[in-house]
Amino acid sequence: MAKHALTTAEQLAREELIAMVPYQSARRLFSSADAQEDKVWLNANEAPGKGQYQLSAININRYPDFQPDCLISAYSEYSGLAKDKILATRGADEGIELIIRSFCKAYQDTILICPPTYGMYAISAENHGAAVIKVALNSADLTLDLDGLQQQVGKVKVVFLCSPGNPTGNLLPKAQILAAIELFKGSAMVVIDEAYIEFSPEYSCTKLLSDFDNVIVLRTLSKAFALAGLRCGFTLANNDVITLLSKIIAPYPIAAPVAEIASQVLTNDLAIMKTRVKQTKVLREQLNNWLTEQNWCCHVFTSDANFVLFRCTSAEDKALVFNLLLENNILIRDQSKQQQLENCLRISIGSEDELAQLKQLLTAL
């Protein structure tokens, strides 16, 4: 019997995995358990308000399905992808870990990231014993350094691209994403993190799954869907990749109540999500315009997400802004330790009232 040609995923995966039989977050900086009720949370890119859902899950004494069909079917309908291209995970963060564990041999293989970017890529790699190569975004416009990426072809197993970026907020040009996928075709999996894609859905890369076998897309319900506390995300990839990841994911990764709420939202509340996105964009534009008028702000970064990154005129001004808000129980995120983001702060788009409180305080500076 002739052997089938190995896909890119099968060639790159850990050898022992092929034959195996399957069997500093925002809350660490400021704990919600110790927080006063009047705190304004604008530091974790969450949706404002309070989510309230009624549970009717039964048989809680039984383990849930490995991949609850109600959830996978709902996300298949939403994303337009076949069910065998979807893996539900505990947030997109679990997807990151599964990908690294599947394609990187500990203490031998390497991932590539493009800072400034989401910190969990490097942390997950380090936890697994994988090395990290950094090819910084172009400083002028925060786009990909394709020449720098080309120099790393053959040296890495996984490439992480974040679009819209976190903490930058900008979309990567689709032509650059395509160029990166082509560069690493046959040598590395290219992961496109679309945690914020609902704010720019027309720029999603999910359609590329049918054209390339080295593409993986990460999604989450934590942002536009306002379900950060639910911890529900999705890894989207061709079936051979999903099969590999399914071998090492926990036996029951999605709790029954999580599947029930997520399915309900994906089935019945899409109009609510789209309204939330529309409102967020309006408030984001207003915040952008207001920041450009402040004498302590020298640059506001383009954002296609639910937050705004801006640069203060000096380290002193950055500290003044951050500390004044903190003293008044308004929490934002200091991003100035990130590469190329000296004196930068990030504000999540909260409610209209929350942003009004922030503006009122900072106008006095």
Side-chain angles (χ1 to χ4, degrees), residues 67-77 83 86-88 234 263:
Q67 291 285 288
D69 186 67
C70 61
L71 178 59
I72 301 302
S73 295
Y75 205 79
S76 174
E77 181 70 21
K83 292 195 289 184
I86 301 170
L87 183 71
F234 300 90
S263 301

Side-chain angles (χ1 to χ4, degrees), residues 17 28 30 94 120 125 134 148 177 207 211 232 349 355:
L17 182 59
R28 285 193 173 188
F30 300 100
E94 185 176 32
M120 280 306 298
K134 300 177 181 180
I177 293 175
K207 292 182 179 179
D211 299 323
C232 185
I349 304 300
L355 293 174

Side-chain angles (χ1 to χ4, degrees), residues 106-313:
Y107 308 107
Q108 294 185 46
D109 291 327
T110 304
I111 73 162
L112 185 151
I113 63 174
C114 300
T117 193
Y118 183 43
M120 280 306 298
Y121 310 140
I123 291 173
S124 294
E126 291 164 2
N127 286 343
H128 179 62
V132 179
I133 287 178
K134 300 177 181 180
V135 177
L137 297 174
N138 292 312
S139 58
D141 55 6
L142 297 177
T143 57
L144 295 176
D145 176 3
L146 291 175
D147 291 336
L149 292 180
Q150 187 171 27
Q151 294 175 26
Q152 304 304 327
V153 173
K155 300 178 182 179
V156 302
K157 282 289 192 73
V158 182
V159 176
F160 284 97
L161 307 179
C162 196
S163 183
N166 178 18
T168 56
N170 65 302
L171 284 157
L172 295 173
K174 181 66 75 67
Q176 285 199 332
I177 293 175
L178 283 167
I181 293 169
E182 289 282 4
L183 278 176
F184 291 97
K185 193 174 182 179
S187 68
M189 303 303 296
V190 177
V191 182
I192 304 153
D193 188 340
E194 294 188 343
Y196 301 91
I197 201 62
E198 275 76 21
F199 298 96
S200 301
E202 65 274 21
Y203 291 95
S204 175
C205 292
T206 54
K207 292 182 179 179
L208 298 181
L209 295 176
S210 60
D211 299 323
F212 301 93
D213 68 354
N214 67 324
V215 173
I216 302 174
V217 176
L218 295 175
R219 292 281 190 85
T220 184
L221 300 186
S222 295
K223 310 304 179 182
F225 283 93
L227 294 173
L230 201 65
R231 307 310 302 131
C232 185
F234 300 90
T235 299
L236 312 177
N238 290 312
N239 178 252
D240 60 321
V241 176
I242 299 299
T243 298
L244 288 170
L245 302 184
S246 297
K247 291 183 177 183
I248 61 171
I249 196 173
Y252 310 104
I254 305 298
V258 170
E260 182 180 341
I261 292 175
S263 301
Q264 174 185 331
V265 171
L266 286 164
T267 303
N268 302 324
D269 294 353
L270 290 181
I272 295 174
M273 181 273 287
K274 291 176 181 179
T275 298
R276 183 183 299 114
V277 166
K278 185 177 180 180
Q279 293 170 341
T280 297
K281 288 182 176 181
V282 171
L283 292 174
R284 185 184 69 199
E285 185 65 20
Q286 293 174 356
L287 181 61
N288 278 345
N289 294 337
W290 181 82
L291 284 168
T292 60
E293 298 171 353
Q294 308 311 305
N295 56 18
W296 39 261
C297 176
C298 61
H299 180 66
V300 180
F301 293 78
T302 299
S303 176
D304 297 285
N306 67 336
F307 57 85
V308 173
L309 180 73
F310 65 97
R311 191 186 305 277
C312 293
T313 53

